[in-house]
Amino acid sequence: MNHASRARVRAPELIGKGGWLNTGGKELSLAELRGKCVVVDFWTFCCVNCLHVLDELRELEEAHRDTVVIVGVHSPKFVHEAEHQAVVDAVERYEVHHPVLDDPELATWKQYAVRAWPTLVVIDPEGYIVAQHAGEGHAHAIAKLVEELEAVHEAKGTLRRGDGPYVAPEPVATDLRFPGKAVLLPSGNFLVSDSTRHQLVELAADGETVVRRVGTGERGFTDSPASFSEPQGLALLPDGTVIVADTVNHALRTYDPATGEVRTVAGTGRQWWQGSATSGAAREVDLSSPWDVAWFADRVWIAMAGVHQLWTYDPATATVAVAAGTTNEGLVDGPAAEAWFAQPSGLAAAGDRLWLADSETSALRWVERDGDGFAVRTAVGAGLFDFGHRDGDAAQALLQHPLGVTALPDGSVAVSDTYNHALRRYDPATGQVTTLATDLREPSDAVLAGEDIVVVESARHRLTRLRLPEEAVRVEAVEHHTRREATEVAAGRLLLDVVFQAPAGQKLDTRYGPSTRLLVSSTPPGLLAEGAGQGTDLSRELVLADGVDEGVLHVSAMAASCDDDPANEYPACHVHQQDWGVPVRVVAGGAERLPLVLAGLDA
């Protein structure tokens, strides 16, 4: 491993106004971590790709516990994510077992020139940056790099083995821990996904008394004894069983309340990647973070948060297929196959519409039949970077990262407006958005129970019963835009460079044609005069249109690399993938090159 050819860059200090979590109250500095291989994970808890990376890093963390320290730097996208208590909750909710720096003002993010969630930066035992990776799929490359760093620094005497600075917080006793979704059973009881405890919990009709728990409570993927991994969505099927979105297992399970039996009906346990099958036998096709499920148009619809799509599962034929979405992240309506979603996380069927909470665009959308197929429409929401709490006409109303939708008896829809801690209502008859309740804590779902609506108050670890009010509550309107500063670019030509260096011991996989892909678009579409569309070269000259002085460039890049060993007929291959939304502002003297690091370091 030769870093001599490149000027070595000392890693900037880790600073954040929110302070440190998982350290027993101690402040950490890079000086104290000298002698360790440090992996800095820039994440934000709304982002499903960040959650995928947390899962990818678990194995590395376990295998190199005495030489590697993973440090999470929490860098918020949404206003709610800048609240310290929300970060504390997220660290517990997602079982983050390493130190986390709460950086609400993005101070460390700016020091490291990070442009995307998630981004991983590797620092060697002497405190120098040796690699940077954006997106998912890099755990294998980082594990290889760590092994090299261990060998080099063991030989130099600069490696320090031993325990890291992680201190586990005290466990808290509550019946539920960050519950995700709920469904009303025919018995009148509630079934709740107790996501952080990897269980399903049946509660009596009072919504409080525990009747039974389903699952071992340990993260796992077995039917008997049943085990789950952060389960979320639940839906009642016509045969009386409940279908479960077993999110981190990338699978669908069924639970029979009569017998207690759990069965795996879809997914392999592996995460779907570009190039994987998009339809076929349900147990043979990979899925990606299914977050919610609903019975609509004679099948189960799946909010596939991990790839920004809707899929379907047909129990009659035991098959799955993509139903809507292209895997591009954004807000685009139209025929199902051409629509764009952004982490769809909540579903509710109502007559001829399937309502959905599209969390990253803070949008309420729906699917309806359109000729022989389906089409996607938007009721509330403007895009990836517009959010807030504003009632009134749907065209200008704002939500903040909603995770749940519930069909109401009068044809309107209740939205669990998660990061606004509110329950909102959209009425298609009047086109108006109102607020039904505030002072909830991260509501993630709600179910109707007679005259009441029962809300899953996720960050208060309970179900909360509300009377469906006649009159909506009025709240002060707030409008937010994303907290990230725009990148200043020059007018006219802009060179987009996605930096990708194959990890040590690997090469680009060109056996089946080009192994890289680049897709570029913009909001507004008129921002780009030239350069939008798909291609295989990771470098592209864009031309910014005259007269448009700001917007967002949407860049999606993928590269596949394989083990570089001519003797091995079946080399292991790895997909590296990331989507960037880069806010840009056109100014005199702005940058003429926009580098985005997928893997490696920008020379």
Side-chain angles (χ1 to χ4, degrees):
M1 184 175 64
N2 178 20
H3 297 297
S5 59
R6 186 186 292 123
R8 298 174 76 199
V9 176
R10 175 74 75 183
E13 191 50 83
L14 304 173
I15 49 170
K17 209 168 219 179
W20 288 89
L21 306 175
N22 283 353
T23 61
K26 188 171 181 293
E27 296 280 310
L28 282 189
S29 70
L30 283 176
E32 292 167 68
L33 299 176
R34 208 57 50 81
K36 299 285 190 188
C37 304
V38 179
V39 180
V40 183
D41 175 18
F42 289 89
W43 68 299
T44 187
F45 65 77
C46 69
C47 151
V48 73
N49 313 85
C50 299
L51 304 185
H52 290 167
V53 167
L54 285 177
D55 292 321
E56 285 179 10
L57 291 175
R58 288 183 206 284
E59 207 172 307
L60 176 79
E61 207 162 15
E62 204 45 61
H64 299 270
R65 192 162 282 291
D66 67 333
T67 56
V68 171
V69 174
I70 295 174
V71 173
V73 175
H74 188 271
S75 316
K77 171 185 170 181
F78 289 98
V79 170
H80 166 58
E81 293 173 315
E83 283 178 35
H84 182 68
Q85 185 55 45
V87 181
V88 173
D89 287 346
V91 165
E92 184 192 344
R93 180 192 292 266
Y94 297 116
E95 297 187 313
V96 179
H97 293 163
H98 51 248
V100 172
L101 175 65
D102 178 13
D103 180 17
E105 295 175 348
L106 304 186
T108 294
W109 163 288
K110 287 172 195 159
Q111 287 285 305
Y112 280 77
V114 173
R115 291 184 185 276
W117 297 276
T119 290
L120 297 166
V121 176
V122 183
I123 301 170
D124 73 12
E126 292 178 291
Y128 291 96
I129 293 176
V130 290
Q132 183 170 333
H133 301 267
E136 308 177 46
H138 302 292
H140 176 82
I142 290 173
K144 281 271 206 237
L145 175 57
V146 160
E147 285 165 17
E148 289 179 28
L149 290 171
E150 285 172 346
V152 167
H153 289 275
E154 188 103 76
K156 282 175 77 172
T158 46
L159 185 74
R160 188 163 51 83
R161 291 185 181 272
D163 287 344
Y166 170 69
V167 178
E170 288 294 313
V172 188
T174 51
D175 286 334
L176 302 173
R177 208 73 198 153
F178 299 104
K181 306 283 187 184
V183 69
L184 187 63
L185 298 173
S187 65
N189 288 356
F190 295 94
L191 187 68
V192 183
S193 54
D194 197 16
S195 304
T196 298
R197 294 223 178 102
H198 315 298
Q199 289 181 320
L200 309 180
V201 177
E202 187 178 332
L203 299 176
D206 63 8
E208 294 177 21
T209 309
V210 175
V211 176
R212 67 175 59 82
R213 294 182 178 276
V214 183
T216 60
E218 297 293 320
R219 201 184 280 278
F221 188 30
T222 52
D223 286 349
S224 183
S227 60
F228 302 92
S229 189
E230 294 179 38
Q232 286 283 346
L234 306 167
L236 207 53
L237 298 186
D239 65 2
T241 61
V242 175
I243 189 125
V244 182
D246 193 5
T247 305
V248 177
N249 279 327
H250 310 296
L252 297 187
R253 323 285 293 277
T254 55
Y255 165 65
D256 187 339
T259 64
E261 184 188 19
V262 171
R263 285 177 53 234
T264 302
V265 295
T268 60
R270 293 185 304 271
Q271 186 185 334
W272 188 94
W273 285 102
Q274 291 288 351
S276 308
T278 54
S279 64
R283 290 295 307 275
E284 293 167 23
V285 176
D286 299 342
L287 308 180
S288 181
S289 298
W291 210 275
D292 203 6
V293 279
W295 182 257
F296 176 69
D298 294 326
R299 54 203 55 192
V300 175
W301 286 63
I302 309 161
M304 204 71 80
V307 283
H308 318 300
Q309 288 180 313
L310 303 181
W311 287 43
T312 57
Y313 160 65
D314 184 353
T317 57
T319 54
V320 291
V322 172
T326 63
T327 75
N328 295 325
E329 185 178 14
L331 194 152
V332 177
D333 288 344
E338 297 164 26
W340 291 24
F341 300 98
Q343 232 169 279
S345 301
L347 297 174
D352 55 4
R353 286 185 179 185
L354 176 69
W355 292 98
L356 72 115
D358 206 21
S359 62
E360 282 289 292
T361 50
S362 299
L364 170 66
R365 306 175 74 185
W366 80 87
V367 176
E368 62 186 11
R369 284 197 188 280
D370 183 29
D372 295 337
F374 292 93
V376 178
R377 314 265 183 249
T378 298
V380 182
L384 283 164
F385 302 101
D386 298 283
F387 52 89
H389 192 148
R390 188 161 65 198
D391 284 340
D393 189 61
Q396 55 84 57
L398 293 169
L399 308 168
Q400 188 182 178
H401 197 81
L403 291 179
V405 276
T406 310
L408 299 179
D410 63 354
S412 67
V413 194
V415 180
S416 293
D417 192 6
T418 310
Y419 288 3
N420 280 329
H421 310 302
L423 190 67
R424 312 285 292 282
R425 174 176 174 260
Y426 167 68
D427 185 352
T430 62
Q432 294 293 300
V433 175
T434 52
T435 298
L436 295 176
T438 57
D439 192 34
L440 299 164
R441 187 76 193 162
E442 291 192 27
S444 51
D445 195 20
V447 288
L448 285 174
E451 309 268 291
D452 299 336
I453 189 162
V454 176
V455 180
V456 180
E457 215 180 339
S458 190
R460 281 201 182 111
H461 319 294
R462 69 186 190 198
L463 300 191
T464 299
R465 187 178 292 267
L466 303 172
R467 185 45 56 102
L468 268 177
E470 295 292 319
E471 286 304 311
V473 182
R474 284 208 176 281
V475 295
E476 208 54 53
V478 192
E479 180 175 6
H480 300 302
H481 289 278
T482 186
R483 309 166 66 82
R484 296 164 63 194
E485 289 170 10
T487 299
E488 297 190 337
V489 295
R493 299 187 178 280
L494 177 67
L495 178 64
L496 171 65
D497 260 339
V498 173
V499 177
F500 179 76
Q501 289 138 11
Q506 291 185 28
K507 62 176 184 181
L508 283 172
D509 174 20
T510 52
R511 291 171 300 163
Y512 308 108
S515 62
T516 53
R517 187 187 81 141
L518 180 66
L519 181 74
V520 180
S521 66
S522 65
T523 306
L527 175 67
L528 284 178
E530 291 175 33
Q534 187 161 323
T536 55
D537 193 342
L538 290 180
S539 243
R540 186 181 302 180
E541 190 166 89
L542 310 179
V543 178
L544 301 173
D546 290 339
V548 183
D549 54 9
E550 63 179 345
V552 179
L553 291 175
H554 303 285
V555 180
S556 178
M558 186 191 90
S561 61
C562 292
D563 291 348
D564 188 8
D565 178 2
N568 183 357
E569 196 182 341
Y570 303 106
C573 295
H574 306 276
V575 177
H576 315 263
Q577 182 178 335
Q578 172 61 16
D579 297 327
W580 291 267
V582 184
V584 293
R585 188 180 309 114
V586 179
V587 297
E592 295 176 5
R593 174 175 176 263
L594 177 62
L596 300 175
V597 178
L598 179 61
L601 292 171
D602 181 25

